[in-house]
Amino acid sequence: MSATARKTAPNAEDIRARKGSTPLVSLTAYTTPMARLMDAHCDFVLVGDSVGMVLHGLTSTLGVTMEMMVMHGQAVARGLDRAMMVIDMPFASYEHDPAHAFKNAARLMAETGAGAVKLEGGVEMAETIRFLVKRGIPVMAHIGLTPQSINTLGGYKVQGRDEQAKAVLADAHAVAEAGAFSVVLEKVPQGLADQITAEVAIPTIGIGASAGCDGQILVVDDMVGFFTAFKPKFVKRYAELGPQAEAAIAEYASDVRARSFPADEHVFADQAPSKGPKT
């Protein structure tokens, strides 16, 4: 099942039209089962390159490949009927030049059925965003803390305080004017996020920004407590499924070692049970 074949899913223009309306709801997904759980509740689902850290144990998103994004995008598409699917362009798949970006964006959309791609960067990526949009590739922008630039940003720091604010604001205006249909604001001070939301004509999607943004997104494994290596300040844990799962695994291991699992109800008799005479 491809996202483009789904009749009820919103498209980029539908998301753009939600500016200043009911806040947009989004989460990341990397697998079919998780996509199914969030489909009825999210306006769009992001197949994030955070999959590298969350599911593959990488220390950053830089090692995520196009092949990984295609695989996880296809898995998520199978779990969606209602929500729009947006997919991250991985590191080094779009920065070289606009034509290279178009080739990879077109591949991601064609092979996964995504309704849009997301890429990181502001002023420096405006030309690429404009190039993609003119050729039919809807783009969600991502500014503020851009994890693919972690080596040049000096860590996962708040972006846009003091003199940095002018640069982040310029990034927001640049991506909006280039044709992005929305923009993610990551780890941006609340006041600046509110200013950007008021000034740009496209929806702002906050992650560590402000409740005043036009929408919010979180990494689902952070939100439900599956990913426990660290917890960003901006994450609210709505469940603690990681510890619950570990407790269940420990109980299973204990039952196996005690030979209390499998019990009689979990195994099969040597003879098939009689079905009895037909009446």
Side-chain angles (χ1 to χ4, degrees), residues 24-266:
L24 293 154
V25 177
S26 179
L27 289 166
T28 61
Y30 319 115
T31 65
T32 305
M34 193 65 81
R36 285 175 176 156
L37 291 175
M38 64 181 67
D39 184 43
H41 308 285
C42 290
D43 297 294
F44 70 90
V45 169
L46 174 67
V47 187
D49 61 356
S50 51
V51 67
M53 301 173 73
V54 175
L55 294 190
H56 293 273
L58 301 179
T59 57
S60 74
T61 61
L62 300 183
V64 174
T65 65
M66 283 287 293
E67 288 69 27
M68 290 167 67
M69 295 308 300
V70 167
M71 178 182 68
H72 288 286
Q74 290 172 342
V76 169
R78 296 183 193 108
L80 298 180
D81 286 316
R82 174 190 170 278
M84 177 184 180
M85 188 172 85
V86 180
I87 190 164
D88 266 341
M89 297 193 69
F91 178 66
S93 69
Y94 60 94
E95 297 91 339
H96 184 263
D97 60 59
H100 182 242
F102 175 79
K103 177 182 178 181
N104 285 321
R107 177 189 173 190
L108 281 176
M109 292 187 70
E111 295 188 22
T112 67
V117 299
K118 181 171 76 64
L119 56 80
E120 297 180 5
V123 170
E124 74 280 8
M125 294 309 303
E127 180 185 356
T128 295
I129 293 171
R130 188 174 291 107
F131 188 93
L132 295 181
V133 171
K134 284 184 176 180
R135 287 156 181 79
I137 305 286
V139 177
M140 177 179 289
H142 183 157
I143 64 172
L145 175 64
T146 48
Q148 292 176 11
S149 302
I150 196 64
N151 289 328
T152 57
L153 294 177
Y156 295 94
K157 301 176 181 178
V158 175
Q159 302 295 309
R161 284 179 172 151
D162 303 322
E163 289 302 312
Q164 279 189 335
K166 293 180 181 179
V168 175
L169 185 60
D171 285 339
H173 282 284
V175 299
E177 291 165 6
F181 70 91
S182 59
V183 56
V184 172
L185 308 180
E186 182 167 358
K187 239 176 173 182
V188 171
Q190 183 175 352
L192 178 59
D194 289 339
Q195 181 182 358
I196 291 171
T197 300
E199 290 188 11
V200 300
I202 59 175
T204 56
I205 311 299
I207 177 167
S210 169
C213 290
D214 296 298
Q216 300 293 328
I217 187 168
L218 284 175
V219 171
V220 69
D221 293 70
D222 284 339
M223 188 267 286
V224 300
F226 271 137
F227 184 76
T228 57
F230 57 86
K231 178 181 173 292
K233 173 183 171 63
F234 54 76
V235 170
K236 177 179 178 180
R237 292 257 201 256
Y238 285 83
E240 292 290 353
L241 301 188
Q244 292 177 31
E246 185 177 6
I249 291 166
E251 184 177 358
Y252 162 75
S254 178
D255 284 354
V256 169
R257 293 184 179 113
R259 297 190 185 278
S260 59
F261 177 84
D264 288 345
E265 63 266 30
H266 306 121

